[in-house]
Amino acid sequence: MTQTNPENTTPHKHGIGVHDALDTLVQMRGERHIVVTNQVSSRLWPTLSDHPLDLNYNPSAMGGAIPLGLGLALAQPDYEIIVLSGDGSLLMNLGCLVTVVDSGVTNLSIVLLDNGQYEVTGGQKTPGYNGANYAGLARASGFPCVHHFTEAATWQNEAANSLSGTGPRFVWLTIRPQPGDYGKSVGRPIQKQMARLRQQFRADAQ
Amino acid sequence: MFTATQIVDALVELKVTHVIWIPDTTTGSWEPALESCSHFQLIRVCREGEAWALAGGLLIGGSLPIVLIQNTGFFESGDSMRNIVFDLGIPVFAIIGARNWLTESSSDTARRFTLPLVQAWDIDFEFITGPEEQEKLFLHFRKCRRTNQAGILLLAE
């Protein structure tokens, strides 16, 4: 089990900028990586990436991205699935960490964007704002590969390694809150994204 | 209601790939048969809201899951179901146990609200009150597949 600074209590205001966090993933993402975003990340990711294996899960139900990504991982074992989840969404569905491990899936990585806030609704604090140990939760749920990053440079250097260990993997990023206009979706409509994803599966299978 | 063998044989015949479930006192006895069947994977979820999104991901990926939960879990997971079935338009099929349906004198509020809530969600459903109606499962499942729409099979318990 790998863990970086499990007891780190870096305040969110000193965390990684969300654009830096996502841009690092864009840079290291391979051709067989399916990236599932939701909530804030589903608004930002399309401004950085337009890949056939992107699924910007919007409209979504909070807490649904990780189970949806788990389903994709089970159905398409030849791909690596990266799910971006906010801390508010994860807290609505913490049990899914146990479900992921129990399913036996190995081709799934969860990247937690922990800004301590419900950013879409205006920045109200989540219940985990004051020091919830998400690495501890993942580890206790049975994740064999757990990392925590609080600095952009470290995340940039370690992203590829942290997302290539024995799966399932859990990467906790402490994120600096960044208010923005998250009320509108800028990506492709979800129906078109799903159709494009299926088309890519068929093309890759040939 | 169905025996474990009957339900597993039915799911195999329907070519189901994954059974996503939380047991109840009726379907719980099916666990050994569901777990040991090599034709599909049994996936245990912690909360019913996970089940709909998990089924959605499986269907996007080309698998053919069913959700197997109780009506109380259906009530609990309404927003997840709404998102997957209506926002995303993914045709999830669910078998839902209707607790205390066969006990007419029951004051169980889960019994009272089952039909009104299923009807309110406007998902095509069938009701099975005994194993002699097993054919309804096949007909309804295949109809939902053919029309690419979500469906619910209520099992009277």
Side-chain angles (χ1 to χ4, degrees):
Chain A
M1 185 180 304
T2 306
Q3 194 173 339
T4 307
N5 296 329
E7 307 304 326
N8 191 301
T9 53
T10 299
H12 292 98
K13 65 181 179 182
H14 295 143
I16 304 168
V18 66
H19 282 92
D20 290 340
L22 298 184
D23 195 51
T24 294
L25 279 172
V26 171
Q27 301 304 322
M28 63 73 58
R29 180 250 193 95
E31 284 304 305
R32 304 287 284 188
H33 278 113
I34 297 172
V35 177
V36 179
T37 67
N38 80 126
Q39 300 293 321
V40 165
S41 63
S42 74
R43 274 83 163 180
L44 297 179
W45 188 263
T47 68
L48 302 169
S49 169
D50 184 23
H51 192 285
L53 296 180
D54 288 345
L55 185 63
N56 296 299
Y57 175 29
N58 184 3
S60 67
M62 284 185 74
I66 294 172
L68 189 128
L70 172 59
L72 276 169
L74 289 166
Q76 294 288 341
D78 292 336
Y79 292 86
E80 282 290 334
I81 318 300
I82 298 174
V83 178
L84 303 180
S85 175
D87 51 318
S89 289
L90 177 62
L91 287 169
M92 285 199 179
N93 199 0
L94 267 180
C96 72
L97 298 180
V98 177
T99 301
V100 164
V101 173
D102 186 61
S103 75
V105 76
T106 58
N107 58 328
L108 177 66
S109 299
I110 296 168
V111 177
L112 178 67
L113 304 172
D114 164 30
N115 60 10
Q117 298 186 354
Y118 298 109
E119 200 144 38
V120 170
T121 58
Q124 302 83 8
K125 294 174 183 173
T126 68
Y129 171 81
N130 201 20
N133 183 349
Y134 295 106
L137 288 165
R139 192 173 60 247
S141 299
F143 276 74
C145 182
V146 178
H147 295 265
H148 181 199
F149 299 102
T150 61
E151 298 173 353
T154 314
W155 165 232
Q156 192 171 11
N157 290 334
E158 297 294 327
N161 282 339
S162 66
L163 294 172
S164 60
T166 302
R169 308 164 203 96
F170 185 91
V171 176
W172 169 24
L173 303 181
T174 298
I175 297 292
R176 186 169 64 247
Q178 183 176 317
D181 180 9
Y182 300 120
K184 58 183 179 184
S185 176
V186 298
R188 298 166 187 262
I190 188 71
Q191 303 293 348
K192 291 188 176 178
Q193 292 183 62
M194 291 191 295
R196 188 168 74 151
L197 193 54
R198 291 185 180 113
Q199 187 177 27
Q200 190 63 39
F201 292 152
R202 288 192 292 271
D204 287 346
Q206 290 174 352
Chain B
M1 196 32 70
F2 294 112
T3 65
T5 301
Q6 284 174 321
I7 194 70
V8 167
D9 288 350
L11 297 177
V12 170
E13 187 170 336
L14 292 170
K15 302 189 184 331
V16 165
T17 59
H18 299 80
V19 176
I20 305 164
W21 92 320
I22 295 183
D24 65 19
T25 51
T26 297
T27 65
S29 63
W30 301 346
E31 184 179 40
L34 292 170
E35 192 170 35
S36 62
C37 181
S38 61
H39 293 270
F40 54 75
Q41 181 181 355
L42 179 67
I43 304 175
R44 298 173 177 86
V45 291
C46 300
R47 199 74 179 176
E48 288 83 354
E50 292 178 63
W52 299 96
L54 179 44
L58 283 161
L59 281 157
I60 294 170
S63 294
L64 184 56
I66 65 149
V67 170
L68 178 53
I69 57 176
Q70 195 180 50
N71 51 357
T72 50
F74 178 69
F75 305 158
E76 157 71 18
S77 63
D79 189 55
S80 177
M81 183 275 294
R82 174 200 60 76
N83 171 249
I84 293 295
V85 171
F86 293 99
D87 287 345
L88 273 59
I90 300 176
V92 177
F93 192 90
I95 298 176
I96 297 176
R99 191 174 76 186
N100 279 324
W101 190 266
L102 298 173
T103 307
E104 286 190 17
S105 61
S106 172
S107 59
D108 185 352
T109 55
R111 182 183 192 278
R112 172 182 164 195
F113 288 114
T114 295
L115 270 183
L117 280 169
V118 170
Q119 289 166 336
W121 281 114
D122 197 23
I123 296 179
D124 194 7
F125 74 95
E126 287 285 349
F127 214 130
I128 288 184
T129 56
E132 68 280 1
E133 295 180 301
Q134 183 179 353
E135 189 62 18
K136 280 187 181 177
L137 167 58
F138 292 97
L139 292 173
H140 191 43
F141 185 90
R142 287 172 175 145
K143 173 190 168 190
C144 291
R145 291 294 298 159
R146 190 171 61 251
T147 58
N148 198 37
Q149 66 174 4
I152 288 174
L153 187 83
L154 288 169
L155 288 181
E157 298 178 346

